[in-house]
């Protein structure tokens, strides 16, 4: 035995390919979201953009529940862009109205989605929270403003637990059937410092497990432990030595599928994966008989999948494989 065995308790209510899944939090949530999107799950990912700390995640979910609409007063001008302290920079824009419009469109979509979602997956990255010194306002993204304008605080476990618990109870009233799956991101926040990063992750882990013990609909998936304790080698990290590489993400995705998804969904994923591989194939000479036969084979397979999974939009694949 050359590695630690990690048993993952299977979900009692496993994910189906027809489920609606919202994903929120750190860039690791984006990694898993990309895998789900690749296999044509119905997903909504980070309507506020990437968020790292639990208070920002909780506040953003609350804003979806309450159907919050942002106004000009919620924006500020910096580095020639209009920005929101509550949103990722992908919402920033040179035009104030355009920034506000895309923020509120995302709000509306998130409200509709979370009201009927089957699963909410939350990936927490850090227990550090930044506050504006001039107003005491918590911020989700500093948008490259001068660091001296912020106070950095390592959140107490109790504050994390209480904030997320309040949000979970609000979700219960909005969508009683919603299942919630927490992970702690294995991405290391080395800019905080090695010791500080470990303290931060420890607080997230303690808070999340406390919450899982309080609510039947809340579960934990050990993405952090799979990288830190099972893979446990720098060859599974990207060149920055803090983000998991493709091999690591694929391994965690495989463990996620096997512990969190129904058997019929695993079959579905295999079928979609084969079609995806064929769809991504781009021949040098499209006119050859061999390529035309290839298209015909997969056009037939696509017709079978379309009948088997009518809820999926196959328009792009149909256009590619059409003869």
């Amino acid at each position: 035995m050359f590695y630690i065995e990690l048993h993952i308790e299977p979900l009692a209510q496993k994910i189906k390919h027809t489920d609606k899944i919202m994903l929120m939090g750190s860039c690791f949530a984006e990694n898993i979201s990309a895998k789900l999107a690749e296999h044509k799950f119905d997903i909504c990912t980070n309507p506020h953009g990437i968020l790292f700390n639990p208070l920002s995640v909780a506040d953003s979910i609350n804003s979806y529940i309450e159907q919050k609409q942002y106004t000009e007063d919620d924006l500020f001008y910096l580095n020639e862009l209009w920005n929101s302290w509550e949103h990722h920079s992908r919402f920033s824009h040179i035009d104030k109205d355009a920034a506000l419009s895309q923020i509120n469109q995302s709000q509306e979509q998130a409200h509709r989605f979370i009201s009927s979602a089957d699963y909410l997956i939350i990936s927490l990255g850090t227990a550090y929270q930044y506050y504006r010194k001039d107003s005491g306002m918590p911020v989700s993204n500093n948008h490259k403003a001068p660091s001296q304008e912020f106070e950095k605080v390592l959140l107490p476990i109790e504050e994390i637990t209480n904030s997320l618990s309040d949000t979970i109870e609000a979700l219960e009233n909005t969508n009683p059937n919603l299942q919630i799956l927490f992970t702690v991101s294995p991405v290391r926040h080395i800019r905080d410092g090695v010791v500080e990063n470990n303290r931060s992750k420890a607080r997230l882990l303690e808070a999340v497990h406390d919450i899982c013990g309080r609510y039947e609909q809340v579960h934990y998936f050990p993405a952090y432990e799979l990288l830190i304790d099972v893979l446990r080698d720098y060859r599974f990290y990207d060149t920055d030595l803090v983000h998991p590489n493709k091999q690591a993400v694929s391994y965690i995705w495989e463990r996620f599928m096997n512990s969190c998804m129904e058997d019929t969904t695993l079959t579905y994923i295999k079928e979609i994966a084969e079609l995806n591989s064929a769809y991504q194939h781009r021949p040098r000479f499209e006119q050859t008989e061999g390529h035309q036969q290839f298209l015909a084979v997969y056009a037939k397979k696509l017709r079978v999948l379309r009948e088997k999974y009518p809820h999926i939009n196959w328009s792009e694949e149909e256009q590619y494989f059409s003869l």
Side-chain angles (χ1 to χ4, degrees):
M1 178 67 69
F2 295 101
Y3 61 91
I4 293 174
E5 287 280 2
L6 175 57
H7 171 72
I8 302 175
E9 191 68 30
L11 291 178
Q13 184 175 319
K14 292 192 173 184
I15 295 172
K16 306 183 294 297
H17 63 84
T18 53
D19 284 344
K20 297 177 65 174
I21 306 169
M22 178 176 275
L23 299 100
M24 294 189 60
S26 73
C27 48
F28 186 72
E30 301 267 328
N31 294 145
I32 298 303
S33 170
K35 291 287 188 182
L36 291 167
E38 178 184 342
H39 294 93
K40 292 188 173 291
F41 283 82
D42 187 1
I43 61 172
C44 176
T45 306
N46 276 335
H48 267 61
I50 294 172
L51 302 171
F52 295 104
N53 73 80
L55 297 194
S56 293
V57 169
D59 287 344
S60 62
I61 294 172
N62 292 338
S63 78
Y64 310 146
I65 295 171
E66 297 163 3
Q67 294 183 267
K68 177 177 178 178
Q69 289 291 287
Y70 288 80
T71 68
E72 293 183 2
D73 293 338
D74 296 307
L75 302 182
F76 66 96
Y77 192 71
L78 178 69
N79 297 326
E80 301 182 86
L81 296 173
W82 288 96
N83 313 277
S84 162
W85 292 122
E86 297 182 25
H87 292 78
H88 188 264
S89 57
R90 72 176 172 88
F91 288 95
S92 300
H93 203 282
I94 57 174
D95 181 81
K96 179 168 55 176
D97 291 336
L100 201 57
S101 175
Q102 62 185 2
I103 285 173
N104 284 327
Q105 285 178 15
S106 185
Q107 285 292 113
E108 291 172 6
Q109 178 192 12
H111 171 73
R112 290 193 302 269
F113 198 97
I114 205 166
S115 298
S116 59
D118 300 286
Y119 255 97
L120 170 62
I121 299 175
I122 298 174
S123 176
L124 300 177
T126 179
Y128 281 101
Q129 171 73 62
Y130 287 83
Y131 296 88
R132 293 282 304 171
K133 286 183 178 179
D134 56 1
S135 64
M137 175 187 180
V139 301
S140 301
N141 192 304
N142 65 15
H143 297 283
K144 298 181 180 179
S147 59
Q148 60 266 27
E149 295 182 7
F150 303 95
E151 180 185 6
K152 179 181 178 182
V153 176
L154 181 59
L155 296 169
I157 295 172
E158 185 178 8
E159 185 173 356
I160 298 171
T161 304
N162 290 342
S163 177
L164 290 172
S165 294
D166 289 345
T167 299
I168 289 168
E169 288 168 14
L171 283 168
E172 281 183 318
N173 294 326
T174 301
N175 184 352
N177 297 318
L178 182 68
Q179 297 289 306
I180 301 169
L181 182 64
F182 277 100
T183 75
V184 171
S185 170
V187 177
R188 292 168 168 167
H189 288 243
I190 296 302
R191 288 184 181 179
D192 293 330
V194 174
V195 173
E196 290 79 3
N197 171 71
N198 287 334
R199 291 185 67 198
S200 167
K201 297 291 188 184
R203 294 193 182 194
L204 295 177
L205 288 165
E206 188 63 28
V208 166
H209 283 287
D210 186 349
I211 292 167
C212 288
R214 296 186 187 188
Y215 304 96
E216 289 185 5
Q217 77 274 31
V218 180
H219 318 279
Y220 178 73
F221 176 77
Y224 177 82
E225 292 82 356
L226 285 171
L227 186 56
I228 300 298
D229 291 316
V230 177
L231 296 181
R232 199 176 177 176
D233 194 297
Y234 275 113
R235 66 193 171 100
F236 294 109
Y237 286 85
D238 211 336
T239 53
D240 62 4
L241 302 181
V242 297
H243 287 82
N245 61 19
K246 289 183 179 179
Q247 189 177 10
V249 171
S250 294
Y251 173 76
I252 295 171
W253 164 249
E254 188 174 331
R255 295 296 301 269
F256 174 77
M257 288 191 297
N258 291 332
S259 62
C260 298
M261 293 185 176
E262 288 188 344
D263 290 343
T264 54
T265 300
L266 297 179
T267 300
Y268 158 84
I269 287 174
K270 289 179 182 178
E271 293 172 336
I272 298 297
E274 180 187 357
L275 193 74
N276 280 340
S277 179
Y279 176 66
Q280 291 164 10
H281 175 67
R282 295 295 183 267
R284 184 178 177 189
F285 300 106
E286 296 181 357
Q287 299 82 6
T288 63
E289 183 178 344
H291 181 62
Q292 296 304 308
Q293 290 175 350
F294 167 85
L295 292 177
V297 167
Y298 280 96
K300 184 177 180 179
K301 290 185 177 183
L302 179 57
R303 286 194 293 271
V304 173
L305 289 178
R306 187 176 55 198
E307 292 178 5
K308 195 172 182 180
Y309 308 114
H311 62 283
I312 293 177
N313 182 352
W314 301 100
S315 57
E316 292 183 5
E317 290 82 359
E318 286 175 341
Q319 182 178 358
Y320 178 67
F321 294 120
S322 63
L323 297 176

